[in-house]
Structures are given as C-alpha cells and as structure tokens.
Amino acid sequence: SALARAHADQVAQLYAGWHRTSVSMLLGAALLCLVLWGEASPWWMAAWVTLILANQAWRGMLARAWTRRQPGLAATSRWGRYWSIGSTLAGALWGCAALVMFPASPAHQALLIVCIFGVVLGGLNLTAVYRPAFYGFALPALVPLIARVAFEGDQVHLYTALVMAVVLGFILAFGHQLNDVLTRSLAMRYENVDLIDELKGKSRAA
C-alpha cells in the first residue's frame, strides 16, 4: 500500500541520516562534558562518553548493513525497530547524564538543561521522521532530567521542572505533527504514482 511504502521511505531516511545523527550526538556530548568539567566526576564522564561512542558505533554498523542488504518492503518494520532501539539507548544515556552528573551549582544546572534540551531539539528533524525513534529518544532523555530537577524540592526547581514538562509536551506534539505531515505527503506521492500508472494502463488498453 501507499502507506507501507511511505513508512519504508521514512526508515530509509533514518539510515541515510546516520552521519548527521552521529555528529549531533558527539558534538552534544563534547559540549556537555565541557560545561560540566570540574562539576561532575571525570570517571562518570569518561564512562558516559564511552557508552555514547559504543552506541553510535553499533548504529554505524547497522547503517552499513542496511546499505549493503537494501532490505525490501517486508523487512522495513524490523529495520525500523532496530534503529528505534539505538535511539532509545541514546536517549537513555542522555537521561542518565542528568541523573549521575547533575551539578550542585544552579548555573551549571541551567547549562545542563540547555544542553540536553538542545540535543533533543537539534535532532528533532532527524528523529521525527519515524515516530518510534522520536519517542524512544525524546522521552528517555528528558523525563529523567525533569524528575531530577523536581527532586531538588525547592520552589524554584519545582517551577523549573513544571516549565520543562510543558516544553516537553510541546516537543512531543510538534514531533507527532511533523511525522503526520511527512507520512501523509509520502503516502499521497505514492497514491499519485499509482493513479498515474493506472491511467497509463487504461490509455494503453484503450
């Protein structure tokens, strides 16, 4: 169907954008470590960056396997799940950073919040292509951060967590809508192609 081919195109776009995804992840990780240098344990930072690199290396191997095999339409959902697992792991790693490297300084806390929200927003045009990958990245990255800020317990942190939760709601709504628009446009393109082919067939028959 046109919808199935649209979903296949979306999965293909995920794999085609692997290099941009990696650049976004690694640049964000470098900025976060720079921001938190002296505020968080260097051992935690080293372990976290190592896991980020390992996840991106696995996704790179997955992207190369996709290019080599060129899976057909029937296998697209399975390859979409593979990529979504990598996205969820990446999101969980960013969420873990908020928990294990949360700084004591309010100024550095603000920088941590900006970094993690920036990574999610910066990757929105890449992850929103495929809904499971989008939710798999955004929720594990931001929910632990919001919970950790709220855990501080004072009024300012609670209000900050509330604002962050509202922003997360807007991000989810925007990503959902962006995915719907892209899916509909791709499906309509395939429907138009099918209609043109049908009309050509009728013309030849006439």
Side-chain angles (χ1 to χ4, degrees):
S1 67
L3 189 58
R5 283 180 285 174
H7 286 314
D9 267 5
Q10 289 170 306
V11 173
Q13 287 180 44
L14 287 176
Y15 283 96
W18 170 75
H19 293 95
R20 286 182 294 158
T21 302
S22 293
V23 169
S24 174
M25 287 290 104
L26 299 179
L27 180 60
L31 286 173
L32 185 66
C33 289
L34 180 64
V35 162
L36 295 183
W37 193 259
E39 293 290 319
S41 164
W43 295 107
W44 276 119
M45 284 188 189
W48 180 72
V49 170
T50 300
L51 291 172
I52 289 278
L53 290 170
N55 188 46
Q56 288 308 119
W58 174 71
R59 295 171 89 183
M61 290 188 289
L62 199 59
R64 284 192 291 273
W66 165 273
T67 303
R68 187 172 60 251
R69 296 183 186 182
Q70 291 295 312
L73 191 63
T76 299
S77 294
R78 177 162 50 88
W79 283 85
R81 285 194 297 272
Y82 293 159
W83 191 265
S84 298
I85 289 169
S87 290
T88 304
L89 289 173
L93 286 170
W94 283 96
C96 284
L99 298 178
V100 302
M101 294 191 286
F102 196 78
S105 160
H108 286 87
Q109 290 172 14
L111 288 171
L112 172 69
I113 292 168
V114 169
C115 278
I116 296 181
F117 267 89
V119 166
V120 173
L121 288 169
L124 189 61
N125 65 321
L126 298 172
T127 56
V129 168
Y130 190 64
R131 196 171 292 168
F134 166 64
Y135 286 121
F137 181 67
L139 288 172
L142 295 180
V143 170
L145 174 64
I146 295 169
R148 182 62 185 85
V149 171
F151 183 74
E152 291 294 290
D154 59 90
Q155 189 178 53
V156 171
H157 281 92
L158 289 173
Y159 281 146
T160 302
L162 177 61
V163 171
M164 290 163 64
V166 171
V167 174
L168 173 58
F170 280 116
I171 290 171
L172 295 177
F174 180 74
H176 189 93
Q177 185 178 24
L178 185 62
N179 180 269
D180 279 345
V181 169
L182 179 61
T183 303
R184 284 198 301 269
S185 65
L186 288 171
M188 285 177 62
R189 188 183 73 182
Y190 282 115
E191 286 170 0
N192 290 336
V193 168
D194 290 343
L195 181 60
I196 291 169
D197 289 342
E198 183 182 348
L199 290 173
K200 285 180 178 178
K202 288 180 178 178
S203 297
R204 284 194 296 268

